[in-house]
């Protein structure tokens, strides 16, 4: 994907007065386990697209965007776990560092999986989704980094969001961030950009035990206690897109807009196995990092969840 703007078009942005410019502030980046966590303070507006660029050189002016690499985009409330918030009727903010707790209100978030071992500068610019107008103003230190973040290829790790205990069952809610680019240790999970995917590991006791993977259409947070047969752990994942649709646990068209309610019916192109690859990655992470007997992993589902 390349969203670089032509130099002539960038020059126009310098000459046009924007009466409704929406520029992010307080941009900051950190690296952890093969991913860069880019966060910022959102402007006071809604229905915006937040476009992320990166470059091995500082992005100091709008003109620098033309030679920068377009990473992807997120939408409003990217720091909010919208799936969990909708299901539980309260606002839940993502945790990207358990030591610091959830993100603050108004924080934007983009998580980029590292594809090389270089130092990169990042910048975030906005687009008004109501009229397609871009605000490409660059304010170094506010919406672009003045120091690069050193990236290193590594296998991304889910981040624990919440733990609760009921009897002998410990519920551990995680989010794994994926994006739209294949990396050496993680495939693309979608075609748009950064997105946080929920899953919960229910640990019964502390001893290694078989793993039951339950595919279902309801939320990935609430256990159905009848599924907790004695002596096994349970994994619940989620087949949900931000437009409210599901992927039948497989994936979607390479041009599908996961935020849109009005996608066309394509007659060409490729249906990509984004969800299947995420499920594979998640199951193998649980096998490798949780007390699971790797030769005793079972799964079931009904209707489209049985696919």
């Amino acid at each position: 994907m390349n969203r670089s703007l032509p130099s002539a078009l960038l020059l126009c942005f310098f000459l046009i007065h924007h009466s409704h410019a929406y520029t992010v502030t307080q941009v900051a980046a950190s690296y952890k386990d093969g991913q860069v966590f880019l966060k910022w303070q959102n402007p006071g507006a809604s229905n915006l697209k937040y476009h992320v660029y990166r470059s091995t050189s500082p992005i100091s002016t709008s003109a620098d965007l033309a030679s920068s690499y377009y990473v992807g985009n997120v939408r409003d409330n990217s720091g909010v776990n919208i799936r969990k918030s909708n299901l539980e009727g309260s606002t839940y903010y993502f945790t990207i560092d358990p030591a610091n707790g959830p993100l603050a209100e108004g924080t934007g978030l983009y998580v980029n999986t590292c594809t090389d071992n270089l130092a990169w500068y990042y910048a975030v610019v906005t687009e008004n989704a109501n009229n397609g107008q871009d605000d490409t103003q660059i304010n170094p230190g506010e919406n672009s980094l003045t120091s690069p973040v050193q990236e290193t290829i590594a296998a991304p790790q889910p981040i624990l969001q919440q733990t609760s205990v009921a009897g002998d069952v410990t519920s551990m809610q995680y989010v794994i961030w994926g994006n739209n680019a294949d990396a050496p240790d993680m495939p693309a999970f979608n075609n748009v950009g950064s997105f946080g995917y929920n899953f919960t590991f229910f640990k019964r006791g502390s001893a290694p035990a078989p793993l039951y993977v339950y595919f279902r259409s309801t939320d990935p947070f609430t256990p159905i206690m009848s599924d907790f047969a004695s002596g096994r752990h349970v994994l619940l994942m989620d087949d949900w897109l931000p437009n409210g649709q599901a992927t039948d646990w497989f994936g979607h068209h390479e041009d599908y807009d996961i935020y849109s309610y009005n996608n066309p019916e394509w007659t060409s192109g490729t249906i990509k196995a984004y969800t299947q690859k995420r499920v594979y990655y998640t199951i193998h992470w649980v096998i490798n990092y949780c007390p699971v007997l790797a030769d005793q992993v079972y799964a079931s589902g009904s209707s489209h969840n049985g696919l």
Side-chain angles (χ1 to χ4, degrees):
M1 181 183 296
N2 187 350
R3 198 175 179 271
S4 298
L5 299 175
S7 298
L9 182 57
L10 288 168
L11 179 60
C12 291
F13 281 112
F14 287 120
L15 301 177
I16 296 175
H17 172 70
H18 293 286
S19 59
H20 298 287
Y22 304 112
T23 307
V24 310
T25 57
Q26 302 177 38
V27 67
S30 59
Y31 168 87
K32 183 179 181 180
D33 296 322
Q35 293 184 313
V36 172
F37 292 79
L38 189 69
K39 62 179 184 178
W40 61 85
Q41 183 65 32
N42 291 324
S46 59
N47 204 20
L48 298 181
K49 294 182 181 181
Y50 296 84
H51 296 287
V52 176
Y53 291 82
R54 72 174 187 165
S55 174
T56 53
S57 301
I59 305 174
S60 302
T61 68
S62 296
D64 294 328
L65 295 176
S67 58
S68 299
Y69 176 78
Y70 179 65
V71 179
N73 73 81
V74 292
R75 306 298 175 89
D76 295 337
N77 303 312
S78 55
V80 176
N81 190 333
I82 295 176
R83 175 63 160 159
K84 183 174 175 65
S85 299
N86 289 345
L87 287 169
E88 303 196 3
S90 185
T91 303
Y92 290 86
Y93 295 92
F94 285 125
T95 294
I96 61 174
D97 182 355
N100 295 329
L103 296 173
E105 181 179 359
T107 301
L109 176 67
Y110 194 103
V111 182
N112 188 46
T113 305
C114 301
T115 56
D116 52 51
N117 299 314
L118 302 177
W120 290 90
Y121 295 85
Y122 283 81
V124 183
V125 296
T126 62
E127 175 191 348
N128 186 334
N130 294 311
N131 56 23
Q133 184 181 37
D134 287 299
D135 176 8
T136 61
Q137 178 179 344
I138 296 294
N139 299 320
E142 291 293 341
N143 69 335
S144 71
L145 297 179
T146 55
S147 297
V149 54
Q150 177 62 53
E151 303 191 17
T152 303
I153 294 173
Q157 302 294 302
I159 296 180
L160 183 65
Q161 305 293 301
Q162 180 178 321
T163 300
S164 60
V165 179
D168 66 342
V169 176
T170 301
S171 169
M172 306 173 72
Q173 297 180 13
Y174 289 91
V175 169
I176 179 73
W177 275 271
N179 58 20
N180 55 336
D182 288 319
D185 290 312
M186 173 184 272
F189 285 178
N190 65 68
N191 61 328
V192 177
S194 169
F195 195 78
Y197 299 88
N198 295 284
F199 71 89
T200 305
F201 177 68
F202 297 92
K203 183 175 66 171
R204 187 156 200 164
S206 58
L211 175 67
Y212 171 48
V213 184
Y214 183 28
F215 292 92
R216 68 183 198 189
S217 300
T218 52
D219 72 80
F221 309 109
T222 306
I224 298 176
M225 295 311 296
S226 61
D227 296 324
F228 287 84
S230 178
R232 70 181 180 188
H233 309 312
V234 175
L235 171 63
L236 295 182
M237 293 175 285
D238 203 18
D239 185 21
W240 179 86
L241 299 176
N243 61 3
Q245 299 298 310
T247 73
D248 288 346
W249 296 103
F250 182 77
H252 51 77
H253 191 275
E254 58 190 343
D255 295 324
Y256 185 83
D257 185 347
I258 63 175
Y259 294 99
S260 174
Y261 298 96
N262 296 298
N263 278 279
E265 293 186 10
W266 287 274
T267 58
S268 62
T270 303
I271 307 297
K272 295 194 173 182
Y274 296 118
T275 309
Q276 188 180 74
K277 291 178 179 180
R278 171 171 59 86
V279 166
Y280 182 90
Y281 192 96
T282 303
I283 291 174
H284 280 267
W285 183 86
V286 170
I287 291 172
N288 290 329
Y289 291 93
C290 298
V292 169
L293 297 174
D295 61 341
Q296 298 182 50
V297 179
Y298 311 92
S300 74
S302 61
S303 189
H304 88 271
N305 299 293
L307 292 173

